[in-house]
């Protein structure tokens, strides 16, 4: 009985070897699982240069219109990334009687701005452009002043945030008007419905924290 049960077990191995030989005889090499490393050192020409638009997506807009929208949107993107990171900086460093409220509010606004970053970047790609992404490139492009590395008082943090919001909103009004005049309804809608409305709402929530009212006693 032992010999009878051993023979069927050996048969699949033989069949497997036969298949491997047959595969090799057909000239089919086994796939390699070795990663191809360091390809960036011999990179070919970039797929697309920053600052250009491609013709990949037929969305009914001419190249000139798309180029203008991509340029404007990259400015909004750089400023939005900067504002997002400014919220995270203040979230970590806030101190004072309103620590708890501002700590939570800053983080909430950070998350909302993060979602907006994706929305703007995706619109740039839809238009055939290249979205700005890396921190050093964003720092070169943004129009929002660079804050110090220091920890600052909450009212100063609020002042910096409101200044950044205002810069974005002023640009947003101009960019929305340009998109409307050029017929780029998608970019106009994004500028108004997404960027403008979110920033206006956040301005309201943040600015109320520097209204001069008593903390504990009515006057």
């Amino acid at each position: 009985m032992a010999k009878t049960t051993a023979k069927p077990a050996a048969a699949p191995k033989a069949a497997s070897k036969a298949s491997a030989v047959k595969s090799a005889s057909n000239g089919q090499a086994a796939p390699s699982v070795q990663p191809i490393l360091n390809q960036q050192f011999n990179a070919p020409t970039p797929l697309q240069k920053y600052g250009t638009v491609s013709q990949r997506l037929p969305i009914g807009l001419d190249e000139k219109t798309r180029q203008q929208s991509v340029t404007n949107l990259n400015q909004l993107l750089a400023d939005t990334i900067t504002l997002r990171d400014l919220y995270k900086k203040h979230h970590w460093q806030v101190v004072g009687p309103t620590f708890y409220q501002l700590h939570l509010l800053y983080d909430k606004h950070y998350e909302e701005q993060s979602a907006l970053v994706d929305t703007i970047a995706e619109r740039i790609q839809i238009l055939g452009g290249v979205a700005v992404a890396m921190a050093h490139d964003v720092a070169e492009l943004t129009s929002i002043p660079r804050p110090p590395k220091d920890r600052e008082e909450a009212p100063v943090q609020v002042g910096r945030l409101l200044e950044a919001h205002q810069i974005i909103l002023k640009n947003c009004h101009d960019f929305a008007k340009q998109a409307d005049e050029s017929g780029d309804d998608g970019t106009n809608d994004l500028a108004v419905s997404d960027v403008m409305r979110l920033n206006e709402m956040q301005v309201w929530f943040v600015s109320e924290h520097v209204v001069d009212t008593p903390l504990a006693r009515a006057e």
Side-chain angles (χ1 to χ4, degrees):
M1 292 296 294
K3 291 182 179 179
T4 305
T5 54
K7 287 181 180 179
K13 293 181 180 179
S16 178
K17 289 181 180 178
S19 299
V21 172
K22 183 178 180 181
S23 177
S25 66
N26 290 337
Q28 297 178 353
S32 172
V33 294
Q34 175 62 39
I36 303 173
L37 304 177
N38 301 319
Q39 296 188 62
Q40 72 275 20
F41 296 121
N42 294 301
T45 303
L47 296 177
Q48 184 180 350
K49 289 282 190 180
Y50 177 81
T52 66
V53 292
S54 71
Q55 300 293 334
R56 289 175 301 181
L57 300 179
I59 57 175
L61 296 173
D62 59 43
E63 183 175 347
K64 181 180 178 182
T65 297
R66 291 186 293 119
Q67 183 69 73
Q68 180 188 56
S69 291
V70 164
T71 299
N72 291 344
L73 287 170
N74 263 319
Q75 183 64 63
L76 278 181
L77 179 58
D79 291 339
T80 301
I81 291 172
T82 303
L83 175 58
R84 177 201 66 183
D85 293 346
L86 189 60
Y87 267 114
K88 182 58 74 173
K89 167 181 164 61
H90 292 341
H91 165 77
W92 290 329
Q93 298 175 357
V94 66
V95 66
T98 57
F99 167 81
Y100 184 72
Q101 296 91 331
L102 286 176
H103 185 72
L104 296 182
L105 181 66
Y106 288 163
D107 209 38
K108 177 178 181 290
H109 285 192
Y110 167 84
E111 295 294 342
E112 292 171 348
Q113 291 291 335
S114 292
L116 189 56
V117 164
D118 270 346
T119 301
I120 299 171
E122 287 168 359
R123 180 62 188 172
I124 291 170
Q125 299 298 138
I126 288 171
L127 291 168
V130 178
V132 68
M134 299 304 294
H136 53 273
D137 297 320
V138 170
E140 290 178 358
L141 183 58
T142 185
S143 50
I144 294 174
R146 181 176 179 175
K149 297 177 183 178
D150 311 309
R151 189 182 202 183
E152 299 181 300
E153 296 183 44
V156 177
Q157 291 181 336
V158 169
R160 292 191 188 282
L161 290 167
L162 293 176
E163 179 188 24
H165 278 295
Q166 187 170 23
I167 289 170
I168 289 175
L169 285 166
K170 284 182 176 179
N171 285 337
C172 199
H173 282 284
D174 293 337
F175 297 160
K177 183 178 180 180
Q178 290 176 26
D180 179 54
E181 291 173 349
S182 65
D184 185 356
D185 299 322
T187 297
N188 172 268
D189 180 61
L190 182 149
V192 175
S193 300
D194 296 303
V195 181
M196 196 178 298
R197 287 181 182 175
L198 175 64
N199 278 275
E200 287 179 343
M201 180 67 72
Q202 290 188 350
V203 164
W204 176 35
F205 274 75
V206 171
S207 62
E208 294 296 340
H209 284 268
V210 286
V211 174
D212 188 16
T213 57
L215 289 175
R217 184 181 66 188
E219 294 181 353

